[in-house]
Amino acid sequence: MNSAALLAPLFLVFELWQLVMAERYVGIKQIARGGDPREMGPSESVAFLWVAGMAVYAFWALMLLLTPHARVFGLALAAVTAVGYSARRNCGLKWILVILTLEGAARVAILSPLTVVAWGHH
């Protein structure tokens, strides 16, 4: 296992943070009041950190594809992201939170064993 896989706990925390942010900006309360998340998004600094984090996360997932023992985890993260993105692009606002939650839960389910495997070898 290479050192890239050792970063799995960091991205596990990031994934949990994304679930909290999704609930905050696209949550039940926002849907109930008919709020549009594009109109009430996070501050610029939070948005920057979020997008930067997602870019680093994507790069890291691609790096996993170069690691023989972690390749399956990288492929699974890419597949979940592709399916989730496609589903979110083709659904209404009321379903986005459901899809984001399922997508996040699937990524947490992928990152958890990767963390155990990566740190179990060290």
Side-chain angles (χ1 to χ4, degrees):
M1 193 69 54
N2 76 359
S3 59
L6 294 174
L7 295 175
L10 174 71
F11 293 106
L12 184 58
V13 170
F14 180 73
E15 195 62 55
L16 295 171
W17 180 65
Q18 284 197 106
L19 287 170
V20 170
M21 294 298 282
E23 171 57 32
R24 181 174 181 186
Y25 290 104
V26 193
I28 302 295
K29 291 179 185 175
Q30 305 305 328
I31 293 170
R33 73 175 182 87
D36 187 342
R38 295 170 292 198
E39 295 173 359
M40 48 159 266
S43 66
E44 284 186 27
S45 59
V46 172
F48 171 77
L49 288 174
W50 198 346
V51 171
M54 289 182 356
V56 171
Y57 190 6
F59 178 74
W60 175 76
L62 291 174
M63 292 298 296
L64 289 178
L65 297 176
L66 302 175
T67 307
H69 299 308
R71 185 171 293 136
V72 68
F73 296 102
L75 287 170
L77 287 169
V80 166
T81 300
V83 169
Y85 179 77
S86 176
R88 281 184 277 122
R89 295 296 296 167
N90 295 308
C91 73
L93 184 60
K94 292 183 179 185
W95 283 99
I96 288 178
L97 181 62
V98 173
I99 294 168
L100 282 172
T101 302
L102 292 173
E103 187 179 349
R107 282 199 288 259
V108 166
I110 294 164
L111 292 170
S112 295
L114 176 57
T115 298
V116 170
V117 168
W119 283 92
H121 286 251
H122 281 80

